[in-house]
Amino acid sequence: MSIIFENITDLDLRETLDCGQTFRWKELSDGSFCGVVRGKTAIAAMDGDRLTLDGADEADRAMWRDYFDLDLDYGAIKQELSALHPVMAQAAEFAPGIRILNQEPFEALISFIISQNNNIKRIAGIVDRLCENFGEPIGGTRPAYAFPTAERLAFLFPDDLAPIRAGFRHRYIIDAAQKVADGTIDLEAVRAMPYEEARAELMQITGVGIKVADCVLLYGLHRLDGFPLDVWMKRAMAVLFDGMSPDSFGRYAGIAQQYIFHYSRMHPELF
DNA sequence: CGCCAGGTTGTCG
DNA sequence: CGACAACATGGC
């Protein structure tokens, strides 16, 4: 079984799945990508303007359409953003197939707690081990695990997380899981809040500061006005976008941010 | 071996 | 309030 989406533009799987917004997709030898979303596995492949999700169920078509953000016109947004600054245009042209995924909110929360003072390769390893140790196994041809639920993680002790080797972040993960599981933080309510309020709500969690909160808002709650400022983005803003502020990118600032982040990381010689 | 990693926390001046 | 070490664990 598989799902096919026709006439897809502005989507490149490698650019989108390997640009630091998600850590759960693995590239296979034939260039396709294997991943798990909301407890469902799929092998994604692009052939021209056709996106195929092998192993996906037709009943989940709407979920996958939403996940890859296929109803948003990235071509138009790219044009709008590119007019703002020549380097912005260059960054968008460098990886024109980037889209902002609609990830599971709790997965984004935990993933970006893990990301702090860490490198992308190791983040992916820790997330893998978290799923293998605490996620529900998913039936299928290859072994796969859902992302663990908040309820599953909420009653663990830091040492229970030793197998995932996330170090000092163990207690942050558990605090986040507890606050989500007991309703202290309602992620769907956060989605609808004014930006500053949403950010403050997430920052109640130990281990969530401004940058992680912005990542959760952008990648987990699809707040495209979010603009996470990590070390790369701070350098880029200082060196390449002197005079511009996050606000000056408008309501799709988060998409601009992703083009710029990826472009900067792939061009370290600029800094 | 030393520096750094999509930061945050706790402490001190 | 702003600066700054400490934090676990590796990747390079």
Side-chain angles (χ1 to χ4, degrees), chain A residues 245-260:
Chain A
S245 69
D247 305 320
S248 54
F249 287 95
R251 69 186 181 288
Y252 296 120
I255 298 175
Q257 181 270 163
Q258 200 61 29
Y259 292 132
I260 296 165

Side-chain angles (χ1 to χ4, degrees), chain A residues 195-247:
Chain A
Y195 200 89
E196 293 301 326
E197 194 181 326
R199 195 192 239 173
E201 190 72 7
L202 292 170
M203 286 171 63
Q204 292 181 79
I205 297 166
T206 310
V208 176
I210 289 178
K211 190 273 179 179
V212 170
D214 287 343
C215 285
V216 176
L217 284 163
L218 177 57
Y219 304 123
L221 299 172
H222 213 64
R223 289 291 294 262
L224 299 179
D225 48 341
F227 197 88
L229 282 167
D230 74 307
V231 287
W232 288 99
M233 286 303 298
K234 285 176 181 168
R235 282 191 285 234
M237 293 304 285
V239 177
L240 305 175
F241 293 92
D242 187 41
M244 278 190 85
S245 69
D247 305 320

Side-chain angles (χ1 to χ4, degrees), chain A residues 3 9 14 35 39 73 107 110 122 128 151 193 210 219:
Chain A
I3 299 178
T9 59
R14 186 176 292 108
D73 185 350
E107 174 174 337
I110 299 302
R122 206 170 84 88
D128 279 348
E151 290 73 18
M193 291 176 183
I210 289 178
Y219 304 123

Side-chain angles (χ1 to χ4, degrees), chain A residues 78-118:
Chain A
K78 247 182 298 188
Q79 275 200 306
E80 189 181 316
L81 292 174
S82 296
L84 297 176
H85 195 287
V87 179
M88 178 65 250
Q90 203 170 336
E93 194 176 343
F94 175 71
I98 288 180
R99 283 171 175 264
I100 302 293
L101 301 165
N102 266 293
Q103 300 184 60
E104 295 173 73
F106 184 66
E107 174 174 337
L109 172 59
I110 299 302
S111 297
F112 284 92
I113 284 174
I114 291 168
S115 80
Q116 67 176 86
N117 197 21
N118 214 339

Side-chain angles (χ1 to χ4, degrees), chain A residues 7 10 14 16 18 38 82 122 128 143 165 186 235 254 262:
Chain A
N7 304 316
D10 309 295
R14 186 176 292 108
T16 294
D18 193 24
R38 293 178 168 78
S82 296
R122 206 170 84 88
D128 279 348
R165 303 199 296 281
D186 178 346
R235 282 191 285 234
H262 188 245

